[in-house]
Amino acid sequence: MHDWMVAFGIRKKGIGFQAAELTESVSELSNPARGWYQIHTFAAEQEPDFEELRWCLHPKDTLAFLLIDIGHFRDRDLEQEVLDRIRRIFSFFSERSYDCIVRIVYDHEGKALLREPSFFSQVKSHLEQIGRLMEQFADTVFVFQGLLVGNWGEMHSSKFLSEAQMGQMAEILRRYKGEETYLAVRRPVYWRMLHEEQKETGQVTADDMGIFDDGILGSESHLGTFGTQSRKCASWNSPWERTEELSFETEIGRLAPNGGEAVYSRDYLQELTPETVLDILGKMQVTYLNRAHDTRILEVWKEWKYPGAGLWKGKSIYDYVSAHLGYRFLIRKACVSFKRKDHVYFAEIEVENTGFAGYYQEAEICLEYTDNSGVYSSEVLEPRMKGWKSKERRRLARTIEAGDGGVYLTARRKKDGAVIRFGNESDEQGRVLLGEITGLL
């Protein structure tokens, strides 16, 4: 017993319970619906080589970005054969438990005006078809980016971007998407155009739409993501200057996932420091980033050291970013005390989300232990993790009738039971040992 206790860093704390050291890990956690992704590009008219695709998957990724080009069908509805092909693509990633970021486009070469349909009615028809497909894979599609239109599907250089048209396209997607599928638009100003009803208060309320910024750190404006006018001088439906748009993205990111691509710029790099990079990613509430789009900026991050003290001192900011994309739940404190009068234990645990972003899906935290009858038990401590914001701490407490043995904390996503690992050291099952009840009363 003594050797086991030493191995797990057990120290005595109070009668009958010996608490474990809650050591934070510096590992990148393979948790669902957050982290790095790579793009998998498909032409809707061509059958993918799924065997080859298997070998292209990154072993650590839980996210997959599916870019599906339907430009070949710009003048007609998608045929059943094409819909079945897209369904097979979705199924391939669903069977491997990926959370998918999906962008379906008419163009992936910067030629949207040549590749888009001639009539808006065809765009809406395609969205209806895609929406019905997305409905079938509600548990797989995490984020649906864009509205089909624009160069690379990035909602620029298109004739279908009036406020009225964008509203109709977004409404079609909303009719079909699942409760835990989020939409995303390219710029904050597009978000505001699609939320005219929030203009009066100027505040972001509960919503299902985030931002995908594919120009992160590429320039002062993130390659045109932001404008130059102050919020006071500009209208609700105009782009604002960088600082105010970043603050607006902070509000959006508390309700829906933001992400995108970081871009290297030799000139703008001179304006950046490790501190500013981490500050910007935090303000953007970044949940996901492309690991392969522009590796030059990622190589810089691998060279730059984390600017703070503590556990991450000496690590690269790439390592820090990898660990903090999206949510990262860290157990700060844990105390289990014996209540002699009732012959029960009272557990109190403090957990903080130290990630850049919030948590956007239904999940729960459980306390696992052996009860006083010798039966392994699990009690829900936190039934609703969805909506847990970045930097938010929660105090979780429960009375348990426990017997001898370890007390563990676990977290799982509700829809599929996927393990959500804490930032603390854990076992292979993702359980964090809080301590050992010994029965020495």
Side-chain angles (χ1 to χ4, degrees), residues 246-257:
L246 285 173
S247 295
F248 193 75
E249 284 196 27
T250 300
E251 296 303 311
I252 293 171
R254 288 174 177 156
L255 302 170

Side-chain angles (χ1 to χ4, degrees), residues 53-70:
L53 182 58
R54 264 194 334 114
W55 297 101
C56 297
L57 303 177
H58 195 284
K60 288 187 177 181
D61 289 351
T62 62
L63 293 172
F65 189 112
L66 313 185
L67 179 66
I68 303 174
D69 190 333
I70 62 169

Side-chain angles (χ1 to χ4, degrees), residues 130-174:
I130 290 162
R132 286 191 287 271
L133 264 180
M134 185 168 61
E135 187 177 31
Q136 298 171 32
F137 290 91
D139 287 344
T140 299
V141 180
F142 176 44
V143 177
F144 189 95
Q145 289 189 348
L147 301 170
L148 308 189
V149 300
N151 290 352
W152 302 285
E154 290 189 7
M155 302 177 68
H156 59 81
S157 304
S158 170
K159 56 181 177 289
F160 301 122
L161 285 174
S162 71
E163 290 182 39
Q165 288 170 325
M166 286 197 295
Q168 291 179 57
M169 291 187 282
E171 180 56 34
I172 291 171
L173 291 172
R174 281 195 169 107

Side-chain angles (χ1 to χ4, degrees), residues 220-277:
E220 178 74 12
S221 68
H222 286 200
L223 301 181
T225 301
F226 313 136
T228 56
Q229 287 188 304
S230 69
R231 180 173 182 172
K232 183 178 179 179
C233 296
S235 68
W236 175 258
N237 294 348
S238 298
W240 304 338
E241 60 88 20
R242 177 175 178 267
T243 302
E244 291 177 310
E245 290 287 41
L246 285 173
S247 295
F248 193 75
E249 284 196 27
T250 300
E251 296 303 311
I252 293 171
R254 288 174 177 156
L255 302 170
N258 295 333
E261 297 173 344
V263 180
Y264 178 86
S265 167
R266 179 179 298 176
D267 293 335
Y268 192 62
L269 186 64
Q270 301 174 22
E271 306 294 324
L272 300 174
T273 65
E275 289 89 347
T276 57
V277 168

